[in-house]
Amino acid sequence: MRIGDAAAAAGTTQRALRFYEERGLLPPPQRTATGQRRYGPDEVARVRVIRELLGLGLTVEDLRGIADRIQLLAGNPQLRCTNTDSASPGSQVIGHRLAAIDAEIDRLTRLRTLLAQRTGRT
């Protein structure tokens, strides 16, 4: 399928597909004789996983560090990241992102407490 069809099937835009390709999250697609990008179901599944991971709070840079593993999740959507090796790239990426989320939750909790105290709404 061409880029517009693939983007629609993955729930994204043509621009996003090009961006993912430029950033190394999506391998360069096959091309037609006229140079148009061609995508198959595997690429669409991979883009869906990329979008899901981005929606969970990972960044494009996070995903670049584990780009070689994205296809594993695309091939098996029920697969969980259960690698307990803290030295693995995936474990480090997830650990850093969870720490960032925890820090943001702490910051927002402190901010809420201060605002509630200042306004008398505890």
Side-chain angles (χ1 to χ4, degrees), residues 30-46:
Q30 295 180 354
R31 301 254 182 183
T32 65
T34 59
Q36 293 181 336
R37 290 172 169 87
R38 292 190 49 97
Y39 297 90
D42 290 344
E43 288 82 15
V44 171
R46 184 179 179 103

Side-chain angles (χ1 to χ4, degrees), residues 7-69:
T12 192
T13 64
Q14 296 177 32
R15 184 174 179 174
L17 292 183
R18 289 186 201 100
F19 177 76
Y20 298 154
E21 181 184 340
E22 290 169 8
R23 296 290 185 217
L25 303 181
L26 192 60
Q30 295 180 354
R31 301 254 182 183
T32 65
T34 59
Q36 293 181 336
R37 290 172 169 87
R38 292 190 49 97
Y39 297 90
D42 290 344
E43 288 82 15
V44 171
R46 184 179 179 103
V47 171
R48 286 181 180 148
V49 169
I50 290 167
R51 291 178 47 78
E52 178 185 3
L53 293 172
L54 291 171
L56 289 172
L58 295 173
T59 66
V60 169
E61 288 305 311
D62 291 337
L63 295 182
R64 284 183 70 184
I66 58 169
D68 61 325
R69 297 169 181 238

Side-chain angles (χ1 to χ4, degrees), residues 42 45-46 49 52 69-81:
D42 290 344
R46 184 179 179 103
V49 169
E52 178 185 3
R69 297 169 181 238
I70 293 172
Q71 195 59 39
L72 295 173
L73 291 171
N76 182 357
Q78 302 304 316
L79 185 65
R80 292 184 48 193
C81 300

